[in-house]
Amino acid sequence: MNVLARIHVNNLVYKTTATFALLLLLGCGDNGFGNSVSEIASCSDGVLNGDETGIDCGGNCSDFCPEPNDLEGDVITRMVLDASVEYRLTGRLLIRDSGSLEIPPGTVIKAVPNVGAYIAVAQGGQLFVFGNEAQPITFTSAAENPAPGDWGGLVFCGKAPLNTEIPSRSAIGDLLYGGDDPENSSGYVKYLRVGYAGAIIDNDIPSGGVSFYGTGKFTLVEYIQSFKSLGANFNFIGGTVSPKWLLADYASTNSISITDGWQGEASFWKASNFTKNGIEISNNNTYPLATPTTEISLMNSSLLGPNEGAALALTNGGGLVSIESMYTSQMSVGIGVYDAASSDKITASQVDLEAIEFANTTQNFTTTNYTGPNTSFITEGTTLGSGNRGDTPAWAQNWSVEF
C-alpha cells in the first residue's frame, strides 16, 4: 500500500493510506464472507505487528520511528488531535483534498524552527479549530527563545475567485488555489493564536502569520490573533472569506495585506506595532485594472503606530473600499495613495471612508497624499474603532497574548 501520511496522535503513530480496505478488515477480523483475516507482519500495512516498535517502523522495518506527538506529513482522511498532548510540528503538515484535521479546545502545537514547518490546507481539505475564550488554541514556535520567522505559519488554499491566473500557486507550498466557487469552505477557525511565523521557505518573501489564498466565504474565521510575524500578520490573496475579530500584533512589514481581487465583509480588526502599513489594499501587482476588483467592506478597526508607512495604503489599483469607524494613532500618513489607478478610484467615488479618527499624530502628519478633486472621500470623526480605541477591546481579553 502507498503510505501518504504519518500523523502522531495520542502518543501513537497512525499511518493513513490510500487504501483503507485492509485496515478495516484487520480491525473487524472478518472479510465480509465470514472468514477471519489473519494478521501478516508487513512494513506497509498500517498496523503495529511483528517486531515493529511503532506502526510500520522500527524492528525489521527500515523506517526510524519518530518521536511521539510529532506532526508532519499529509492528512488524507479525518484526523482528531488530543488537547492533553503538546504537539511538535517537525515539517510540512498538509491537509489534502477530502482530508480534515480537527483540533479541540486548548491544544498547543509548537513548530520546530528552521525545518520548513508550516500547516497548509489544500483545495478540498478542511481545518477545524475548535477553540473558545477559556481554551484558545495555540500555534507557535518551539524555540527556547522564539523569534519572528521561526516557522511558516498557517496557509489556506481555496476555490474562490481571483483576478490572477486560475488556478494559481501559493507562495508557500506551491499549492493550487483559486476557482469559481465563492462559497467554498476550507473549514472553521475560532479562538486561535499564531505566533512567531513568517519564515522564508519557498522564495525570498516571508510567508506571513496566516494566509488565505482564494479562500471561500463559507470558511468561518473568528477571533484569530497573529503576533510576531516576519511577514504580514494576515494575507488575503483573492477569495471571499470574511473574517471577524482579528488581532494583529507586531509585523516586520504590513500588518494586513489584501490583494488579487479579494472581496469580503469584515469587522473588528485591531493591528499594532507594524513596520510598514496597517492595512495595504492592492488590486493586482501586474495588472492594476484586473477584474474582479479587490473590494473591502470593513467596520470597526484600530490601527496603531508608530510605523514607516500609512494607516491605510492603496496601491496597484487599490480597490473598491468602504470603511467605517476606524481609529488610528501615532501615524505620519493617514491614507496613502501610491499609484494612478488607486487615485482614479478615489476620484470616481469608489473609496468611502466614514468616521475616521487620526489620534496622537506625528508632528508632520499628512491626512492623505491624494491630490485629486474628490475632497470628501474621508469623513473624520471620533470613534471607538475596534471597540476600545487604542486599548485592548473587550472581545480580545481573556484569550489573546498581551503585549
Side-chain angles (χ1 to χ4, degrees):
M1 275 184 291
N2 181 28
V3 177
L4 297 181
R6 178 176 292 161
I7 306 297
H8 311 270
V9 182
N10 298 337
N11 297 307
L12 295 175
V13 181
Y14 295 85
K15 284 190 177 179
T16 304
T17 65
T19 305
F20 298 99
L22 180 57
L23 292 179
L24 292 173
L25 291 173
L26 289 171
C28 297
D30 192 279
N31 62 10
F33 297 97
N35 298 322
S36 176
V37 177
S38 60
E39 182 179 77
I40 301 174
S42 168
C43 294
S44 61
D45 59 9
V47 178
L48 179 64
N49 50 26
D51 64 350
E52 298 170 356
T53 57
I55 295 180
D56 294 344
C57 63
N60 289 325
C61 297
S62 59
D63 287 348
F64 172 74
C65 288
E67 291 293 324
N69 312 328
D70 286 356
L71 293 175
E72 181 179 356
D74 295 356
V75 181
I76 61 171
T77 185
R78 180 179 180 234
M79 291 287 178
V80 182
L81 300 188
D82 181 351
S84 68
V85 174
E86 182 175 287
Y87 295 94
R88 289 197 328 154
L89 184 66
T90 57
R92 183 189 76 169
L93 181 63
L94 176 61
I95 306 167
R96 288 196 175 273
D97 187 11
S98 299
S100 67
L101 178 63
E102 299 176 23
I103 306 179
T107 301
V108 175
I109 298 176
K110 292 186 176 180
V112 177
N114 306 316
V115 297
Y118 60 92
I119 299 173
V121 183
Q123 287 187 325
Q126 290 190 308
L127 173 65
F128 298 97
V129 176
F130 296 118
N132 57 54
E133 186 175 5
Q135 296 175 294
I137 289 165
T138 303
F139 299 167
T140 190
S141 170
E144 182 177 354
N145 297 302
D150 274 351
W151 66 294
L154 177 60
V155 177
F156 290 87
C157 293
K159 301 178 181 179
L162 322 167
N163 65 20
T164 58
E165 181 182 4
I166 295 178
S168 290
R169 289 191 175 272
S170 62
I172 180 171
D174 196 34
L175 302 171
L176 293 174
Y177 70 94
D180 59 1
D181 183 5
E183 297 182 345
N184 175 239
S185 174
S186 296
Y188 171 109
V189 183
K190 203 165 184 178
Y191 288 102
L192 172 65
R193 307 182 299 198
V194 179
Y196 302 101
I200 299 172
I201 294 179
D202 293 326
N203 48 50
D204 294 330
I205 303 172
S207 57
V210 185
S211 299
F212 298 91
Y213 289 89
T215 308
K217 69 178 181 180
F218 281 4
T219 307
L220 186 143
V221 178
E222 296 181 352
Y223 300 101
I224 315 298
Q225 180 184 29
S226 172
F227 61 91
K228 300 280 187 177
S229 176
L230 187 62
N233 294 118
F234 294 97
N235 290 306
F236 298 94
I237 303 100
T240 52
V241 63
S242 295
K244 300 178 180 178
W245 299 290
L246 295 187
L247 274 178
D249 294 295
Y250 291 91
S252 299
T253 177
N254 304 316
S255 186
I256 300 172
S257 291
I258 297 168
T259 190
D260 293 353
W262 178 72
Q263 298 182 326
E265 298 178 359
S267 59
F268 295 101
W269 289 5
K270 179 177 179 287
S272 62
N273 298 295
F274 40 87
T275 300
K276 196 175 178 184
N277 302 304
I279 300 175
E280 182 179 275
I281 301 173
S282 166
N283 189 48
N284 184 293
N285 290 344
T286 305
Y287 304 104
L289 300 181
T291 58
T293 305
T294 296
E295 183 172 358
I296 176 173
S297 173
L298 174 62
M299 296 279 294
N300 304 106
S301 59
S302 294
L303 306 175
L304 312 176
N307 63 313
E308 298 172 0
L312 177 68
L314 304 177
T315 186
N316 297 314
L320 310 178
V321 180
S322 175
I323 294 178
E324 185 174 345
S325 298
M326 173 181 283
Y327 174 87
T328 76
S329 179
Q330 300 186 67
M331 296 293 166
S332 57
V333 178
I335 313 301
V337 183
Y338 299 112
D339 73 307
S342 297
S343 180
D344 289 345
K345 286 185 173 64
I346 296 175
T347 301
S349 299
Q350 295 175 329
V351 176
D352 183 33
L353 310 177
E354 299 283 342
I356 311 300
E357 181 173 356
F358 302 109
N360 308 310
T361 56
T362 62
Q363 184 176 1
N364 298 315
F365 173 75
T366 300
T367 301
T368 181
N369 62 347
Y370 168 75
T371 57
N374 186 351
T375 59
S376 60
F377 77 99
I378 302 173
T379 302
E380 296 187 43
T382 302
T383 177
L384 292 177
S386 61
N388 198 15
R389 295 169 66 79
D391 295 326
T392 303
W395 56 264
Q397 296 174 6
N398 303 322
W399 65 273
S400 63
V401 178
E402 291 282 355
F403 293 99

